[in-house]
mmCIF file of all heavy atoms in Angstrom:
data_model
loop_
_atom_site.group_PDB
_atom_site.id
_atom_site.type_symbol
_atom_site.label_atom_id
_atom_site.label_comp_id
_atom_site.label_asym_id
_atom_site.label_seq_id
_atom_site.Cartn_x
_atom_site.Cartn_y
_atom_site.Cartn_z
ATOM 1 N N THR H 74 92.607 78.882 118.999
ATOM 2 C CA THR H 74 92.598 79.566 117.708
ATOM 3 C C THR H 74 92.476 81.076 117.842
ATOM 4 O O THR H 74 92.692 81.797 116.880
ATOM 5 C CB THR H 74 91.451 79.054 116.825
ATOM 6 O OG1 THR H 74 90.228 79.191 117.535
ATOM 7 C CG2 THR H 74 91.665 77.598 116.456
ATOM 8 N N VAL H 75 92.113 81.553 119.030
ATOM 9 C CA VAL H 75 92.013 82.986 119.287
ATOM 10 C C VAL H 75 92.876 83.285 120.508
ATOM 11 O O VAL H 75 92.843 82.541 121.485
ATOM 12 C CB VAL H 75 90.553 83.418 119.553
ATOM 13 C CG1 VAL H 75 90.479 84.895 119.872
ATOM 14 C CG2 VAL H 75 89.664 83.080 118.387
ATOM 15 N N HIS H 76 93.635 84.369 120.441
ATOM 16 C CA HIS H 76 94.493 84.774 121.559
ATOM 17 C C HIS H 76 94.080 86.156 122.018
ATOM 18 O O HIS H 76 93.979 87.078 121.209
ATOM 19 C CB HIS H 76 95.967 84.786 121.135
ATOM 20 C CG HIS H 76 96.479 83.445 120.759
ATOM 21 N ND1 HIS H 76 97.043 82.594 121.662
ATOM 22 C CD2 HIS H 76 96.475 82.781 119.578
ATOM 23 C CE1 HIS H 76 97.394 81.467 121.061
ATOM 24 N NE2 HIS H 76 97.048 81.566 119.776
ATOM 25 N N VAL H 77 93.825 86.289 123.320
ATOM 26 C CA VAL H 77 93.492 87.587 123.902
ATOM 27 C C VAL H 77 94.758 88.118 124.543
ATOM 28 O O VAL H 77 95.286 87.532 125.482
ATOM 29 C CB VAL H 77 92.372 87.457 124.960
ATOM 30 C CG1 VAL H 77 92.068 88.811 125.573
ATOM 31 C CG2 VAL H 77 91.132 86.845 124.338
ATOM 32 N N GLY H 78 95.267 89.230 124.016
ATOM 33 C CA GLY H 78 96.531 89.796 124.468
ATOM 34 C C GLY H 78 96.363 91.085 125.234
ATOM 35 O O GLY H 78 95.344 91.298 125.901
ATOM 36 N N LYS H 79 97.334 91.961 125.108
ATOM 37 C CA LYS H 79 97.353 93.178 125.900
ATOM 38 C C LYS H 79 96.226 94.154 125.555
ATOM 39 O O LYS H 79 95.875 94.995 126.371
ATOM 40 C CB LYS H 79 98.700 93.882 125.772
ATOM 41 C CG LYS H 79 99.015 94.390 124.389
ATOM 42 C CD LYS H 79 100.371 95.057 124.359
ATOM 43 C CE LYS H 79 100.672 95.525 122.947
ATOM 44 N NZ LYS H 79 101.970 96.139 122.858
ATOM 45 N N ASP H 80 95.657 94.047 124.375
ATOM 46 C CA ASP H 80 94.531 94.910 124.013
ATOM 47 C C ASP H 80 93.223 94.448 124.634
ATOM 48 O O ASP H 80 92.219 95.152 124.569
ATOM 49 C CB ASP H 80 94.378 94.980 122.490
ATOM 50 C CG ASP H 80 95.563 95.681 121.832
ATOM 51 O OD1 ASP H 80 96.217 96.491 122.515
ATOM 52 O OD2 ASP H 80 95.829 95.398 120.651
ATOM 53 N N GLY H 81 93.207 93.255 125.204
ATOM 54 C CA GLY H 81 92.008 92.733 125.851
ATOM 55 C C GLY H 81 90.956 92.297 124.846
ATOM 56 O O GLY H 81 91.266 91.880 123.739
ATOM 57 N N MET H 82 89.710 92.428 125.265
ATOM 58 C CA MET H 82 88.595 92.006 124.407
ATOM 59 C C MET H 82 88.117 93.187 123.571
ATOM 60 O O MET H 82 87.099 93.803 123.861
ATOM 61 C CB MET H 82 87.443 91.478 125.261
ATOM 62 C CG MET H 82 87.747 90.220 125.992
ATOM 63 S SD MET H 82 86.330 89.596 126.892
ATOM 64 C CE MET H 82 85.946 90.942 127.969
ATOM 65 N N ASP H 83 88.844 93.488 122.511
ATOM 66 C CA ASP H 83 88.423 94.563 121.627
ATOM 67 C C ASP H 83 87.454 94.004 120.586
ATOM 68 O O ASP H 83 87.133 92.826 120.585
ATOM 69 C CB ASP H 83 89.619 95.265 120.988
ATOM 70 C CG ASP H 83 90.498 94.322 120.174
ATOM 71 O OD1 ASP H 83 90.246 93.111 120.194
ATOM 72 O OD2 ASP H 83 91.443 94.814 119.520
ATOM 73 N N ASP H 84 86.975 94.857 119.708
ATOM 74 C CA ASP H 84 85.987 94.439 118.708
ATOM 75 C C ASP H 84 86.517 93.349 117.787
ATOM 76 O O ASP H 84 85.780 92.455 117.388
ATOM 77 C CB ASP H 84 85.527 95.635 117.878
ATOM 78 C CG ASP H 84 84.663 96.594 118.686
ATOM 79 O OD1 ASP H 84 84.078 96.149 119.693
ATOM 80 O OD2 ASP H 84 84.568 97.779 118.297
ATOM 81 N N GLY H 85 87.797 93.402 117.447
ATOM 82 C CA GLY H 85 88.385 92.390 116.568
ATOM 83 C C GLY H 85 88.342 91.000 117.186
ATOM 84 O O GLY H 85 88.019 90.026 116.515
ATOM 85 N N VAL H 86 88.656 90.920 118.465
ATOM 86 C CA VAL H 86 88.623 89.622 119.162
ATOM 87 C C VAL H 86 87.188 89.106 119.247
ATOM 88 O O VAL H 86 86.928 87.934 118.985
ATOM 89 C CB VAL H 86 89.251 89.745 120.572
ATOM 90 C CG1 VAL H 86 89.015 88.478 121.382
ATOM 91 C CG2 VAL H 86 90.732 90.038 120.471
ATOM 92 N N LEU H 87 86.269 89.984 119.607
ATOM 93 C CA LEU H 87 84.869 89.569 119.722
ATOM 94 C C LEU H 87 84.304 89.097 118.383
ATOM 95 O O LEU H 87 83.590 88.082 118.320
ATOM 96 C CB LEU H 87 84.022 90.707 120.282
ATOM 97 C CG LEU H 87 84.343 91.130 121.713
ATOM 98 C CD1 LEU H 87 83.506 92.340 122.104
ATOM 99 C CD2 LEU H 87 84.134 89.992 122.678
ATOM 100 N N ASN H 88 84.630 89.809 117.303
ATOM 101 C CA ASN H 88 84.157 89.404 115.981
ATOM 102 C C ASN H 88 84.756 88.067 115.564
ATOM 103 O O ASN H 88 84.080 87.235 114.970
ATOM 104 C CB ASN H 88 84.491 90.481 114.945
ATOM 105 C CG ASN H 88 83.685 91.738 115.148
ATOM 106 O OD1 ASN H 88 82.621 91.718 115.758
ATOM 107 N ND2 ASN H 88 84.195 92.849 114.661
ATOM 108 N N GLU H 89 86.042 87.869 115.862
ATOM 109 C CA GLU H 89 86.706 86.618 115.505
ATOM 110 C C GLU H 89 86.122 85.435 116.286
ATOM 111 O O GLU H 89 85.887 84.366 115.725
ATOM 112 C CB GLU H 89 88.208 86.730 115.756
ATOM 113 C CG GLU H 89 88.994 85.531 115.311
ATOM 114 C CD GLU H 89 88.927 85.292 113.805
ATOM 115 O OE1 GLU H 89 88.715 86.242 113.040
ATOM 116 O OE2 GLU H 89 89.077 84.124 113.384
ATOM 117 N N VAL H 90 85.868 85.632 117.574
ATOM 118 C CA VAL H 90 85.265 84.564 118.385
ATOM 119 C C VAL H 90 83.875 84.228 117.860
ATOM 120 O O VAL H 90 83.523 83.052 117.708
ATOM 121 C CB VAL H 90 85.216 84.972 119.872
ATOM 122 C CG1 VAL H 90 84.340 84.030 120.673
ATOM 123 C CG2 VAL H 90 86.614 85.006 120.447
ATOM 124 N N ALA H 91 83.085 85.236 117.544
ATOM 125 C CA ALA H 91 81.733 85.001 117.028
ATOM 126 C C ALA H 91 81.777 84.256 115.692
ATOM 127 O O ALA H 91 81.005 83.320 115.466
ATOM 128 C CB ALA H 91 80.993 86.322 116.876
ATOM 129 N N ALA H 92 82.694 84.649 114.811
ATOM 130 C CA ALA H 92 82.800 83.995 113.503
ATOM 131 C C ALA H 92 83.248 82.546 113.649
ATOM 132 O O ALA H 92 82.715 81.652 112.975
ATOM 133 C CB ALA H 92 83.776 84.755 112.614
ATOM 134 N N GLN H 93 84.211 82.297 114.528
ATOM 135 C CA GLN H 93 84.685 80.926 114.697
ATOM 136 C C GLN H 93 83.649 80.047 115.386
ATOM 137 O O GLN H 93 83.536 78.863 115.070
ATOM 138 C CB GLN H 93 86.007 80.919 115.466
ATOM 139 C CG GLN H 93 87.133 81.426 114.622
ATOM 140 C CD GLN H 93 88.485 81.170 115.244
ATOM 141 O OE1 GLN H 93 88.638 80.323 116.108
ATOM 142 N NE2 GLN H 93 89.472 81.890 114.770
ATOM 143 N N LEU H 94 82.894 80.604 116.315
ATOM 144 C CA LEU H 94 81.819 79.822 116.946
ATOM 145 C C LEU H 94 80.744 79.457 115.928
ATOM 146 O O LEU H 94 80.181 78.370 115.986
ATOM 147 C CB LEU H 94 81.194 80.600 118.102
ATOM 148 C CG LEU H 94 81.938 80.569 119.414
ATOM 149 C CD1 LEU H 94 81.318 81.551 120.393
ATOM 150 C CD2 LEU H 94 81.941 79.170 119.993
ATOM 151 N N LYS H 95 80.485 80.364 115.014
ATOM 152 C CA LYS H 95 79.471 80.106 113.991
ATOM 153 C C LYS H 95 79.890 78.954 113.078
ATOM 154 O O LYS H 95 79.065 78.119 112.707
ATOM 155 C CB LYS H 95 79.229 81.367 113.164
ATOM 156 C CG LYS H 95 78.077 81.256 112.221
ATOM 157 C CD LYS H 95 77.808 82.585 111.546
ATOM 158 C CE LYS H 95 76.612 82.464 110.624
ATOM 159 N NZ LYS H 95 76.291 83.715 109.974
ATOM 160 N N SER H 96 81.182 78.875 112.769
ATOM 161 C CA SER H 96 81.637 77.828 111.851
ATOM 162 C C SER H 96 82.042 76.542 112.570
ATOM 163 O O SER H 96 81.758 75.454 112.082
ATOM 164 C CB SER H 96 82.803 78.331 111.005
ATOM 165 O OG SER H 96 83.916 78.607 111.812
ATOM 166 N N ALA H 97 82.676 76.650 113.725
ATOM 167 C CA ALA H 97 83.211 75.448 114.377
ATOM 168 C C ALA H 97 82.361 74.957 115.538
ATOM 169 O O ALA H 97 82.459 73.788 115.908
ATOM 170 C CB ALA H 97 84.623 75.710 114.874
ATOM 171 N N ARG H 98 81.554 75.824 116.164
ATOM 172 C CA ARG H 98 80.673 75.510 117.281
ATOM 173 C C ARG H 98 81.376 75.240 118.605
ATOM 174 O O ARG H 98 80.759 75.284 119.646
ATOM 175 C CB ARG H 98 79.752 74.340 116.960
ATOM 176 C CG ARG H 98 78.842 74.592 115.810
ATOM 177 C CD ARG H 98 78.041 73.388 115.505
ATOM 178 N NE ARG H 98 76.648 73.748 115.363
ATOM 179 C CZ ARG H 98 75.679 72.886 115.398
ATOM 180 N NH1 ARG H 98 75.925 71.620 115.628
ATOM 181 N NH2 ARG H 98 74.448 73.282 115.236
ATOM 182 N N LEU H 99 82.667 74.918 118.581
ATOM 183 C CA LEU H 99 83.435 74.666 119.789
ATOM 184 C C LEU H 99 84.856 75.162 119.556
ATOM 185 O O LEU H 99 85.514 74.700 118.627
ATOM 186 C CB LEU H 99 83.445 73.166 120.117
ATOM 187 C CG LEU H 99 84.172 72.735 121.382
ATOM 188 C CD1 LEU H 99 83.428 73.220 122.624
ATOM 189 C CD2 LEU H 99 84.298 71.228 121.424
ATOM 190 N N ILE H 100 85.295 76.129 120.356
ATOM 191 C CA ILE H 100 86.630 76.703 120.152
ATOM 192 C C ILE H 100 87.359 76.850 121.486
ATOM 193 O O ILE H 100 86.737 76.835 122.547
ATOM 194 C CB ILE H 100 86.570 78.077 119.452
ATOM 195 C CG1 ILE H 100 85.855 79.111 120.320
ATOM 196 C CG2 ILE H 100 85.952 77.969 118.082
ATOM 197 C CD1 ILE H 100 86.026 80.531 119.833
ATOM 198 N N LYS H 101 88.677 77.003 121.362
ATOM 199 C CA LYS H 101 89.508 77.319 122.509
ATOM 200 C C LYS H 101 90.082 78.715 122.319
ATOM 201 O O LYS H 101 90.468 79.083 121.212
ATOM 202 C CB LYS H 101 90.668 76.333 122.644
ATOM 203 C CG LYS H 101 90.295 75.026 123.268
ATOM 204 C CD LYS H 101 91.543 74.188 123.502
ATOM 205 C CE LYS H 101 91.203 72.877 124.170
ATOM 206 N NZ LYS H 101 92.430 72.070 124.371
ATOM 207 N N VAL H 102 90.125 79.458 123.421
ATOM 208 C CA VAL H 102 90.677 80.809 123.422
ATOM 209 C C VAL H 102 91.796 80.848 124.452
ATOM 210 O O VAL H 102 91.607 80.423 125.587
ATOM 211 C CB VAL H 102 89.598 81.857 123.783
ATOM 212 C CG1 VAL H 102 90.189 83.247 123.839
ATOM 213 C CG2 VAL H 102 88.441 81.792 122.808
ATOM 214 N N LYS H 103 92.952 81.358 124.063
ATOM 215 C CA LYS H 103 94.095 81.478 124.965
ATOM 216 C C LYS H 103 94.146 82.910 125.489
ATOM 217 O O LYS H 103 94.163 83.864 124.707
ATOM 218 C CB LYS H 103 95.392 81.146 124.211
ATOM 219 C CG LYS H 103 96.637 81.354 125.007
ATOM 220 C CD LYS H 103 96.870 80.224 125.954
ATOM 221 C CE LYS H 103 98.228 80.391 126.603
ATOM 222 N NZ LYS H 103 98.443 79.497 127.668
ATOM 223 N N VAL H 104 94.135 83.039 126.813
ATOM 224 C CA VAL H 104 94.233 84.356 127.442
ATOM 225 C C VAL H 104 95.676 84.527 127.903
ATOM 226 O O VAL H 104 96.141 83.805 128.781
ATOM 227 C CB VAL H 104 93.263 84.478 128.635
ATOM 228 C CG1 VAL H 104 93.382 85.858 129.262
ATOM 229 C CG2 VAL H 104 91.841 84.198 128.190
ATOM 230 N N LEU H 105 96.380 85.456 127.275
ATOM 231 C CA LEU H 105 97.780 85.689 127.599
ATOM 232 C C LEU H 105 97.907 86.497 128.889
ATOM 233 O O LEU H 105 96.966 87.192 129.297
ATOM 234 C CB LEU H 105 98.461 86.417 126.440
ATOM 235 C CG LEU H 105 98.372 85.700 125.088
ATOM 236 C CD1 LEU H 105 98.971 86.562 124.000
ATOM 237 C CD2 LEU H 105 99.070 84.359 125.139
ATOM 238 N N GLY H 106 99.041 86.411 129.528
ATOM 239 C CA GLY H 106 99.267 87.119 130.775
ATOM 240 C C GLY H 106 99.178 88.631 130.648
ATOM 241 O O GLY H 106 98.838 89.331 131.595
ATOM 242 N N ALA H 107 99.474 89.158 129.481
ATOM 243 C CA ALA H 107 99.438 90.602 129.251
ATOM 244 C C ALA H 107 98.018 91.142 129.091
ATOM 245 O O ALA H 107 97.824 92.340 128.931
ATOM 246 C CB ALA H 107 100.255 90.943 128.011
ATOM 247 N N ALA H 108 97.013 90.262 129.146
ATOM 248 C CA ALA H 108 95.634 90.693 128.935
ATOM 249 C C ALA H 108 95.134 91.599 130.057
ATOM 250 O O ALA H 108 94.182 92.341 129.878
ATOM 251 C CB ALA H 108 94.710 89.486 128.790
ATOM 252 N N GLY H 109 95.753 91.521 131.225
ATOM 253 C CA GLY H 109 95.366 92.399 132.315
ATOM 254 C C GLY H 109 94.194 91.896 133.131
ATOM 255 O O GLY H 109 93.768 92.551 134.064
ATOM 256 N N ALA H 110 93.661 90.732 132.802
ATOM 257 C CA ALA H 110 92.555 90.141 133.555
ATOM 258 C C ALA H 110 92.757 88.635 133.588
ATOM 259 O O ALA H 110 93.448 88.076 132.741
ATOM 260 C CB ALA H 110 91.220 90.483 132.898
ATOM 261 N N ASP H 111 92.129 87.992 134.570
ATOM 262 C CA ASP H 111 92.269 86.537 134.627
ATOM 263 C C ASP H 111 91.351 85.883 133.600
ATOM 264 O O ASP H 111 90.431 86.504 133.066
ATOM 265 C CB ASP H 111 91.996 86.010 136.035
ATOM 266 C CG ASP H 111 90.554 86.192 136.473
ATOM 267 O OD1 ASP H 111 89.908 87.148 136.004
ATOM 268 O OD2 ASP H 111 90.074 85.377 137.274
ATOM 269 N N ALA H 112 91.602 84.624 133.338
ATOM 270 C CA ALA H 112 90.887 83.905 132.280
ATOM 271 C C ALA H 112 89.397 83.778 132.580
ATOM 272 O O ALA H 112 88.568 83.817 131.671
ATOM 273 C CB ALA H 112 91.508 82.529 132.078
ATOM 274 N N GLY H 113 89.025 83.648 133.832
ATOM 275 C CA GLY H 113 87.612 83.530 134.192
ATOM 276 C C GLY H 113 86.826 84.775 133.839
ATOM 277 O O GLY H 113 85.707 84.706 133.314
ATOM 278 N N THR H 114 87.402 85.929 134.120
ATOM 279 C CA THR H 114 86.749 87.194 133.801
ATOM 280 C C THR H 114 86.622 87.378 132.293
ATOM 281 O O THR H 114 85.569 87.792 131.798
ATOM 282 C CB THR H 114 87.560 88.363 134.399
ATOM 283 O OG1 THR H 114 87.755 88.134 135.784
ATOM 284 C CG2 THR H 114 86.862 89.681 134.194
ATOM 285 N N VAL H 115 87.682 87.055 131.584
ATOM 286 C CA VAL H 115 87.657 87.155 130.122
ATOM 287 C C VAL H 115 86.626 86.186 129.548
ATOM 288 O O VAL H 115 85.877 86.530 128.631
ATOM 289 C CB VAL H 115 89.054 86.896 129.535
ATOM 290 C CG1 VAL H 115 89.007 86.794 128.019
ATOM 291 C CG2 VAL H 115 90.015 87.995 129.949
ATOM 292 N N ALA H 116 86.555 84.977 130.106
ATOM 293 C CA ALA H 116 85.599 83.975 129.624
ATOM 294 C C ALA H 116 84.167 84.458 129.774
ATOM 295 O O ALA H 116 83.356 84.335 128.840
ATOM 296 C CB ALA H 116 85.792 82.661 130.381
#
């Protein structure tokens, strides 16, 4: 439900992840290749 793209983990992504965790408690985040970091680091 959340995609991390070329802008990386900016404030918008962090706020969206926090809001979705608050409502759903379990979410999936897709880290795109353009993010500039591997998925483990982003996680």
Side-chain angles (χ1 to χ4, degrees):
T74 55
V75 178
H76 296 270
V77 179
K79 65 181 179 181
D80 294 335
M82 294 184 301
D83 59 354
D84 290 337
V86 171
L87 295 175
N88 291 338
E89 185 63 26
V90 168
Q93 288 192 20
L94 279 171
K95 188 174 182 179
S96 64
R98 299 176 132 196
L99 182 69
I100 64 167
K101 280 187 178 179
V102 178
K103 175 79 173 170
V104 180
L105 303 175
D111 66 331
T114 306
V115 172

